[in-house]
Structure formats: C-alpha cells, structure tokens
Amino acid sequence: MKYKRTLATNPDGTFRRENGSLVWIDGEAAVKQELEDTLKTVRGEDEFDDEHGLDIFEATGAAPPIVEREIRTALLQDDRVDEVTDVVIADPGGNRETEVEVSVALVDGVGLSLSETLSAYA
C-alpha cells in the first residue's frame, strides 16, 4: 500500500527540522505518527472533522474497558487500520492520565505499535 507523505513532528507537536528545513516522512512512519496524533487529538477539536480524535474526557481516568473502547473507536476511523489487535492499559487511575500500548494491523498486513500517555491536561 502506498502511504502519503506528511511533515514529521517532534514529541511536543512542533514540526521537526534538520539543517533549517522541514522533514518529510512517509510509509509506516507517517501512518504511525498520524495514529499517535489521533490519540492526542481531543475529539471535536479538529474543525475540518469533528469526529476525528479520541474522546479524551471519556477515556482518561476511566475503567480499562472504557479506555479500550474509546481507543478502538478512534483508531478504527482511519481507513488504513484493519484492526486494533491489542490494547494494554497502565495507570488508569484518577490522575486524569492513562498510559497505553496499542498494536494495530493495517489493511496491507503491516503491524504497528503505539505508545502514548493519554491526558485530559493536553
């Protein structure tokens, strides 16, 4: 499957630069970054697609089955994702932050692993 190019970002969300130029990524790296961005986006904040993102206020601090449901819902909206194969949830406590490890299978059979801290403070 041919994946589109996208601008690479740093962990803080800013665009990555090398030698003063923006860095482009494609392939699995681009898909992984975009899926991680989906988990960092509060559903409803994207003015072009109000269904994009994670219902962060439902997911953070909630019981593991609710966190898993919200992650699956968010990631399966991407037509490149065939299935969410695994969701491991750590620290789902009341601190409004939840650490997750997620495995997905893309429609072309490639598997990706994502690691995120979901936070209602983002």
Side-chain angles (χ1 to χ4, degrees), residues 9-13 32-43 45 52-54 56 74-75 115-119 122:
T9 57
N10 295 310
D12 67 358
K32 181 177 179 178
Q33 177 181 285
E34 290 174 353
L35 294 177
E36 290 170 342
D37 288 346
T38 295
L39 295 178
K40 294 178 201 171
T41 301
V42 176
R43 185 176 300 140
E45 79 175 340
H52 174 74
L54 179 70
I56 196 73
L75 294 179
S115 178
E116 286 299 323
T117 300
L118 308 179
S119 175

Side-chain angles (χ1 to χ4, degrees), residues 3 24-25 28 34 49 67-68 73 82 92 115:
Y3 300 117
W24 288 90
I25 57 174
E28 294 169 25
E34 290 174 353
D49 183 359
V67 176
E68 182 173 346
T73 299
D82 184 46
S115 178

Side-chain angles (χ1 to χ4, degrees), residues 12 16 20 24 26 30 36 38 41 44 47 53 59 74-77 80-81 84-86 93 96 102 104 116 121:
D12 67 358
R16 190 170 37 163
W24 288 90
D26 59 10
E36 290 170 342
T38 295
T41 301
E47 62 186 70
L75 294 179
L76 288 171
Q77 289 182 359
R80 298 167 295 186
V81 175
V84 177
T85 56
D86 194 30
R96 302 300 285 167
V102 182
V104 299
E116 286 299 323
Y121 301 116

Side-chain angles (χ1 to χ4, degrees), residues 2-3 7 16 18 20 31 39 50 54 57 66 79 86 111:
K2 182 175 177 356
Y3 300 117
L7 288 168
R16 190 170 37 163
E18 290 179 7
V31 176
L39 295 178
D50 61 358
L54 179 70
F57 300 107
I66 294 171
D79 61 0
D86 194 30

